[in-house]
Amino acid sequence: MPRVPVHTITDAPEQSREALRRLERRMGRLLNIHAEMAHAPVVLAAYQGIQQAIAGHGSFDPKTREAIALAVAAVDKCAYCQSAHTAGGQAAGWSLEETVAIRDGAAHLGPKLAALLAVARANGGDVGWGYEAAGEVAREGGWGGGEAGGTVG
């Protein structure tokens, strides 16, 4: 039994219900991660705020964001995340074969995206403490600090 209940829209706290309805419409179904976040409405609201900030102010398009998420999920060995971002990657425009190749680190994506994914893998694999060498790879690949959230200096 999970420590945090996996809610439905009808049994979630009232403050979470409308957010869950929107997420269900957007995703095509209610994902467990959202259904669990709903237990604490502040957590669900914070998650949505972060997602809105990324979409509104981030420098990466949805396809690039999903590639990053796939690479990090693979490094973290998170089966749930890999599954969710494989579906998200396909919705963003990657083929199933491309999502698998991104997870495996075998995709031929061009030097700029390959450099960014190398940084994401280094940061994800080292729990946020990426190596300077990964930053140098990103800079050589054409990424600047503003584009990559300041992680490549």
Side-chain angles (χ1 to χ4, degrees), residues 32-123:
N32 285 346
I33 192 167
H34 301 143
E36 288 180 345
M37 284 186 222
H39 190 66
V42 68
V43 173
L44 187 58
Y47 167 80
Q48 288 188 295
I50 290 168
Q51 293 300 312
Q52 290 170 351
I54 290 169
H57 304 288
S59 59
F60 301 133
D61 60 51
K63 199 170 176 182
T64 302
R65 288 194 307 263
E66 287 298 336
I68 293 166
L70 283 162
V72 172
V75 169
D76 288 345
K77 297 180 177 81
C78 177
Y80 181 88
C81 298
Q82 289 181 58
S83 176
H85 288 292
T86 295
Q90 288 177 283
W94 296 110
S95 70
L96 176 60
E97 294 77 18
E98 288 170 323
T99 64
V100 172
I102 291 167
R103 290 187 335 228
D104 293 344
H108 301 288
L109 307 169
K112 191 169 183 180
L113 185 53
L116 180 63
L117 296 183
V119 171
R121 286 185 181 94
N123 285 339

